[in-house]
Amino acid sequence: MTDYFAFYGLSESFRPDGAALKRLYYAKSRETHPDFHATSSPENQAEMLRQATLNTDAYRTLADPDQRMAYLLRQHGLLEEGKQEQLPADFLMDMMDLNEQLMELEMEPDAAAQARVAAEAQTISDTLDAGIEPVLAGYEQLPADHRPAALQQIRTYYLKKRYLLRIQQQVATFAARS
C-alpha cells in the first residue's frame, strides 16, 4: 500500500494541516497533469497519469478524517477490509439497550422514543470523540514505542464510532418513515 504521507512529504498524523495538504495536492496536480506531458513519451505519459491518480487518491483519503483514520489503521495492520472486527464486550453490553429500543421503534414507531434514542446515541458519540481527541492530537509527538498503544485506542474508538453510525442511520431511517 502506498504511503500517502510520504507521497506528500508529511509526517504521519491524525490531524494534518489541511491548508498545507491542499497546497501539496495542487502542486502535485500541476506537476503531474496529463496536459503538461502530452508531448512526452508514452511511458512518461502513463507514469504521469499514475502519479495524478495517486495524488487524487492520497488527497481524498488524507483530507477526510474518517478515511484518514481507517487508512492509518490499515497501514499499521490494525484494520482489515471486509473483516468482522471484535468490539469490546462492555461497549456491546451498553449498546444492547439502544438496540432493544431500536427493535421497539421498528415494531411501534414513536417520535419521542426515536428522539431519545437519537439523543442517547449522539451523547455516546460525543463522549467517544472527547475521549479520543487528545490521543489524535498528540499522536505525532508520541515516541515511536508509545504509538502502538495509541493506535490500539484509536482502533477501538474507530470501531465503536462505526457501530454507533449504523445505529444513528437506523434512527434516521425510522425518522424518515414517520
Side-chain angles (χ1 to χ4, degrees), residues 5 13 33 54 58 81 83 112 116 129 142 158 166 174:
F5 288 99
S13 173
H33 196 281
L54 175 59
E81 207 66 53
K83 181 182 175 217
R116 281 193 304 277
D129 291 345
L142 285 176
Y158 179 81
R166 284 192 299 274
F174 294 145

Side-chain angles (χ1 to χ4, degrees), residues 68 110 113 151:
R68 179 174 55 241
D110 175 349
L151 285 165

Side-chain angles (χ1 to χ4, degrees), residues 85-101:
E85 301 286 350
Q86 203 53 44
L87 282 156
D90 61 333
F91 177 76
L92 291 174
M93 290 301 291
D94 293 343
M95 293 299 102
M96 200 179 301
D97 182 46
L98 273 181
N99 281 311
E100 286 172 5
Q101 292 178 54

Side-chain angles (χ1 to χ4, degrees), residues 52-84:
T53 302
L54 175 59
N55 185 39
T56 300
D57 292 345
Y59 180 73
R60 283 185 181 148
T61 300
L62 298 183
D64 179 271
D66 287 336
Q67 286 187 41
R68 179 174 55 241
M69 187 176 290
Y71 166 78
L72 277 165
L73 292 170
R74 279 193 300 275
Q75 285 288 98
H76 288 279
L78 295 173
L79 203 60
E80 289 181 45
E81 207 66 53
K83 181 182 175 217
Q84 186 63 42

Side-chain angles (χ1 to χ4, degrees), residues 129-139:
D129 291 345
I132 201 66
E133 187 50 41
V135 179
L136 297 174
Y139 179 81

